[in-house]
Amino acid sequence: MEVTTALASHTTPEVRSLLGDALLHELSHGLGGPYHVLFPERFDACAAAFRAVFAEAGVDGQVYFAKKANKAAVYVERAAVAGLGVDVASHGELREALAAGVRGEDLVVTGPAKADDLLRVAVLQGALIAVDALDELDRLIVLAAGLGRRARVLLRRLPAEQPHSRFGLDDGELAAALRRCVDGPVDMEGFSFHLSGYDVRQRTDLAAESIGWCTEARALGLRADRISVGGGFAVDYVDAEDWRRFEESSRPEHFHAGKSFGGFYPYHSPVAGADALRTILAAAPSGSGEGTTLAELLRSAGVTLLVEPGRALLDQAGFTVFRVQGVKDRDGYAVLTVDGSSLSLSEQWFDSEFLPDPVLVPGGAGPVADAGPYPACVGAATCLESDMLTWRKIPFPVRPAVGDLLVYLNTAGYQMDSNESPFHELPLPPKVVVEPSGSRFRWRLDRHPH
Ligand SMILES: *Cc1c(COP(=O)(O)O)cnc(C)c1O
């Protein structure tokens, strides 16, 4: 039968070396089920890359890690040590960030119609609050007055390019919000937005418009000296050529049960991570003076740029390990069953699939007859027909066998835990923090309480 395109995941030298290390099988045996591996050093490196772009562009900038992308404690602990900010959207996330050592003033609280107790702690901690609606601003003003404090506020914009978004204030509401900020116990520090999608052009343009809003706000006597362009810095998972071939050739027959999906994350992105920030800063916004870059506009207006990357700070900062516990032959391909569920690989829960090919790490020591490819899909150890980790018939280079490990690479951004539950009384996969130590690796469990 016709075989599907391979979509080999990008890796790092640490990942490659760990894939060949006995530690992976050791941990699978010792932990008795699937687990996630976390690389904190990689998080540090991604954050440093964003900061380097600000320094290089001569722009005053601040990086806030969007915590919702992963629940582990270790990344927030590293953020605290590095002096990064953290973007939180719930009382629980705020508590975790404070406990990891992030200072209140380094938090930005986002999300719609935030509950009073979240707003109260945010005010008491001096956190920046991205206000999403007029009624939320009114509640915040009453609350801050009651506490005898001032609230630090950004006003979140509803982007004209995404008029159906349920987030943010439209231009009329923004004008009303500014008037209320003038009279209230509020330090109005600027504006924010967060776009879905990865378009860099839109972000440059919206940032420039937001600088214009800062000028209007300042005319009312407000501080308005920072803007947040939110997150949405793409991650590049696979090569351009593989991705192009996949997109051109993909058909329902390439998936178990002829499954088709609404769409996929753009797993190849020519401009990703900190490079996307570099591109946004170096572009000249449409309608600005000829050739004036966003970086220049920010400098001359004295405006600080905040970014809130989630996924991009976690690029290659972790992977997820399952053990093959069954191999069943079907017509021209195999159905693998692994010792966990798609709850630990979240993309399925958005009517989509995490496409980069998992790496097979053989369990047996026997010689591997390499007469592949051996196409196989990957099912969960649950009783749900639809609980598949991968519907696509992945072209494995060797025949998968019981006891092999299946390693999904680059899963730290959103894949690991956003949907995990102890369904079927299956334990939640533990998170293992792995750091190189001389020629070996050292590991410990992450501190986040399940
Ligand atoms: C989710 C979110 C982010 C992070 O988005 P990424 O795509 O992971 O970079 C940043 N800001 C806000 C307001 C968000 O909701």
Side-chain angles (χ1 to χ4, degrees), residues 64-114:
Y64 291 80
F65 169 50
K67 194 182 178 318
K68 73 170 182 283
N70 196 300
K71 291 184 187 130
V74 73
Y75 302 123
V76 209
E77 289 165 1
R78 302 298 272 232
V81 170
L84 299 178
V86 175
D87 166 4
V88 297
S90 72
H91 196 271
E93 287 185 348
L94 183 144
R95 184 184 60 227
E96 288 296 311
L98 288 176
V102 180
R103 298 175 310 170
E105 68 200 65
D106 292 331
L107 295 173
V108 59
V109 185
T110 60
K114 292 171 273 299

Side-chain angles (χ1 to χ4, degrees), residues 231-270:
F233 300 89
V235 165
D236 185 37
Y237 293 86
V238 303
D239 276 348
E241 185 53 23
D242 286 350
W243 185 241
R244 189 190 58 75
R245 240 182 291 136
F246 168 79
E247 289 205 300
E248 282 174 11
S249 67
S250 183
R251 281 194 296 288
E253 308 91 88
H254 294 167
F255 293 79
H256 171 65
K259 174 87 173 168
S260 60
F261 290 97
F264 298 108
Y265 181 89
Y267 286 95
H268 172 70
S269 194

